Amino acid sequence: MSQDELARAHGGAPLSGVLRASPEDFRVTEKLGFGADGDGEHVLVTVRKRGLTTQQAAGKLARHAGVKPLAVGYAGMKDRHAVTEQAFTVQLAGREEPDWQGLAGDDIEVLASQRHRRKLKRGALKGNAFVIVLRQVTGDHVAAERVLAAIRDHGVPNYFGEQRFGRRGDNVEQARAMFAGRRVQRQQRGILLSAARSQLFNAVLDRRVAAGTWARALPGEIFCLAGSRAWFGPEPLDEALAERLAGGDIHPSGPLWGKGETPAGDEAALLENAVAAEHPDQVSGLAEAGLEHDRRALRLLPQPLDWHWPDRTTLELRFELPAGAYATTVIRELATTL
């Protein structure tokens, strides 16, 4: 199932427009949730990059510091076609710190640097703040305001974005070929496993969106804690859990398949197992790869969400998302984009 075919929660997208007319129209600021230690053999470097992948920016930092690429760490992958501010660590054991200002150019600039004790690990961030501009917008403005208010008040389905499935969208097919015995490089293996897992999650979420249950608890629900990777259940939806669900403290969850059976029960388990039965090679392949079963929230709450129209054909959106969430999943509820 393509991204365009996934069910939308608030009706069809009322707008169409151009996304990323320039990198400046897609601005991302990483939120680590912690500061530098102030000492150590690493340097925590905050970088503004334009038109570079995270790996390309890491390579530039490594070359400038005269270290191997493995000495550079980062918490999250950021879009190439964007202006992004994100943190890197550069390990400088036994080396003098370079003049970071000497790296300044049109595509990369070091904004701050401070000593740190640990290498940044993937996923070690709180979230990201976005400023996104849609241009050449057409469509129903009244309906758009309704959808924007619904997104603000109720959130959006927490789909994995198209970036997860490769530039040609064929990572899942490549994963299936790998499960069937095709050899792949070690680095590619992790990417393909993630794509297979993400596609199964999206399939479960698609069914719950279509059924109107993506933001409410089913019998046998597993709940995810907001802002955390922790989950618990299944538990009956009592008054206390209902209040937490309504307040956004917990969310219904879907499966990230791995070894063993889904921990969900009753109706939630029946739905998840029905999807698994349609993709047996992916489910068995993920289990045989040794991945542990995990969970991901079905609901995504952009907080806060603000918007304004500089003119009738331009819409600016501002919001923050937790780590692992995709800004494109917010935009797809509102607009089809070029």
Side-chain angles (χ1 to χ4, degrees), residues 105-122:
D106 293 337
D107 57 1
I108 191 168
E109 177 186 5
V110 174
L111 303 178
S113 62
Q114 193 171 359
R115 286 284 174 169
H116 196 58
R117 296 173 188 166
R118 299 172 300 279
K119 181 178 182 178
L120 268 180
K121 299 294 186 182
R122 294 288 297 275

Side-chain angles (χ1 to χ4, degrees), residues 17-28 49-51 79-84 129-137 310 313-319 327 331 337-338:
V18 176
L19 179 64
R20 306 179 205 261
S22 71
E24 285 73 17
D25 285 345
F26 200 101
R27 292 183 175 270
V28 189
K49 66 181 185 66
R50 181 187 189 278
D79 294 275
R80 175 179 182 177
H81 301 292
V83 175
T84 68
F130 297 88
V131 180
I132 296 173
V133 179
L134 291 176
R135 300 192 185 276
Q136 300 178 37
V137 177
T313 63
T314 307
L315 175 61
E316 181 182 280
L317 305 167
R318 293 175 178 262
F319 53 88
I331 296 168
T337 59
L338 300 176

